[in-house]
Amino acid sequence: MKIAVIGTGYVGLVAGACFASKAHDVICVDVIKEKVDKINRGISPIFEEGLEDMLHDLVPRKKLRATLNLKKAVLESELIFISVGTPSKDEAKFDYTYLEQATKDVGLALKEADDYKVVVIKSTCIPGTTINLLKPILEQMSGKKCGKDFGLGFSPEFLREGVAVYDFMNPDRIVIGGVDDKSIEMIESVFINFNSPIMNTDPTTAEMIKITSNSFLAMKISFINEMANIAEKIGSDIKDIAKGIGMDSRISPKFLGAGLGWGGSCFPKDVSALCQQTKEVGVPSLMLESTIAVNKKQPLRSIELLEEALEDNTVKGKKIAVLGLAFKPNTDDMREAVSIPIINSLLDKGAEVHAHDPAAMKNAKEIFDSPNLFLEEDPIQALSDAEGCILVTEWRIYGQLSPKTFKGAMKTPILIDGRRLFDSKKMRTRGIKYFGIGLGK
Ligand code: NAD
Ligand code: UGA
């Protein structure tokens, strides 16, 4: 099948590469020339495991190409996926600037098409957007009738950054919300050999499935984080509690990792946007409001633990190490990373912060601007002479740091494990003042 993918970010480029690896002919479109040129040279513009190897294979075989020419890509294709960004606007709504522009451009291209094509929205949006906003744009720009001259659907993407290729190739389910059976059939045909259950529905329900899914996962994490804070007070261990409840198949052990809260390019904006929509439709969601409120407080729990551990209970004038800046391991993405409020709060309180991340240093340089923040080349440099350390992102390389390393490098070996990466007993018995989220003292 001939496929166009509009937007070559985490979703678009991964989708394009995965479709091409399933023998489809894919043409990716972006507005950024540098990205297009890189892709055509087989180089991935984003940090995503396995993606560049796929491009190395697919680009020379001409299974995947990239272009700035959206119209040509649309006219050459039978299925057109739109996967441009829908960032947050004013903290509580989606900004549809890119989505509207891409849809307008697709609509204009459809005007010149003489065959039936299906447009598939993959960008996350508020339920109702495909039908109420995007369908009218496509009809107006093309002068054609949706359902008769072209098809339309919303098919949510559930991949996680860092494991995006694996997730795309091995989905738990594929959801297709189409305006009619013909659209659904065409979209289904591209997913048929993905060995995954396929659920068909209407576009608005598919949009609601996507945003509810992210909100539920965020709620699960906020819930376990709240329980973690209680576990600390009653002297128990949230890791065992999560294990114990997760063994109930109705609960499942996934997304019960207590820590410093959820960040990233999607949970924060999606939960806020759904929360806002619940207000607009007159059924404000207390669950979503609490999910957000718990998550706002949670990163700062690491600083409370650190202050409690320090002899004079203050970080002022002290060198503090922060390990991990990305919003989670295996990505360089720092969008809404919890490292940001943690570092800003440490700086506000007068600390000198020495931070490290294996992948996100370039992005960090663009976010922070303080003479008291030092971005270090390696974790030992960050730990050197520090009076406390907060582990923010659970990169595997940090887990390999031994108690001896912490003791050797730091002035006082206080370790706040914000992600419960380390073996608490090993740390405590080997001279580290170790405190973990959800772990009684
Ligand atoms: P991204 O910001 O990484 O990439 C979007 C790309 O679209 C950029 O390369 C941008 O240059 C391009 N673009 C913008 N306007 C364009 C236009 N008019 N024509 C062509 N290209 C254009 O975004 P992303 O992370 O891939 O997310 C895309 C959508 O998918 C969002 O709605 C997001 O919520 C959703 N989503 C993201 C993930 C994820 O893990 N990142 C997972 C599931 C769903
Ligand atoms: C998330 C969803 O998992 C994907 O299904 C969805 O497609 C995507 O959002 C999206 O819509 O963009 P992602 O943001 O890449 O994926 O990362 P996750 O692995 O879900 O982690 C999100 C945040 O939750 C991270 O900050 C992570 O540290 C935190 N988290 C995750 C926890 O604190 N505990 C956990 O047990 C799991």
Side-chain angles (χ1 to χ4, degrees), residues 5-13 29-32 35 46 48 67 70 82-87 94 97-103 105 122-125 156-162 164 210 214 265-266 269-270 327 333 335:
V5 182
I6 320 294
T8 64
Y10 291 89
V11 172
L13 188 54
V29 183
D30 210 289
V31 285
I32 301 175
K35 284 194 172 190
I46 52 165
E48 199 54 66
T67 180
L70 182 144
I82 301 184
S83 51
V84 299
T86 47
F94 287 132
T97 311
Y98 307 117
L99 185 56
E100 284 186 49
Q101 187 58 51
T103 308
D105 293 343
K122 257 203 173 295
S123 303
T124 304
C125 45
E157 182 48 60
F158 300 107
L159 64 76
R160 292 162 299 165
E161 284 180 30
K210 169 63 198 170
N214 272 1
S265 66
C266 291
K269 77 174 170 80
D270 291 1
F327 84 93
D333 198 338
R335 286 178 283 183

Side-chain angles (χ1 to χ4, degrees), residues 10 48 160-162 260-268 324-340 357 360 392-395 419:
Y10 291 89
E48 199 54 66
R160 292 162 299 165
E161 284 180 30
L260 297 176
W262 37 270
S265 66
C266 291
F267 280 2
L325 297 166
F327 84 93
K328 66 174 193 175
N330 304 322
T331 178
D332 63 351
D333 198 338
M334 279 200 61
R335 286 178 283 183
E336 302 287 332
V338 301
S339 61
I340 300 170
D357 189 281
V392 178
T393 316
E394 66 277 34
W395 284 95
R419 299 288 177 185

Side-chain angles (χ1 to χ4, degrees), residues 111-158:
K111 191 176 190 171
E112 294 183 26
D114 44 27
D115 57 342
Y116 176 86
K117 300 177 190 298
V118 177
V119 180
V120 192
I121 313 300
K122 257 203 173 295
S123 303
T124 304
C125 45
I126 276 296
T129 307
T130 299
I131 293 300
N132 300 326
L133 177 69
L134 307 179
K135 183 177 147 202
I137 292 177
L138 287 168
E139 288 187 325
Q140 198 187 347
M141 302 314 285
S142 66
K144 294 183 174 174
K145 190 96 190 95
C146 176
K148 178 175 157 276
D149 306 315
F150 67 90
L152 177 63
F154 179 88
S155 181
E157 182 48 60
F158 300 107

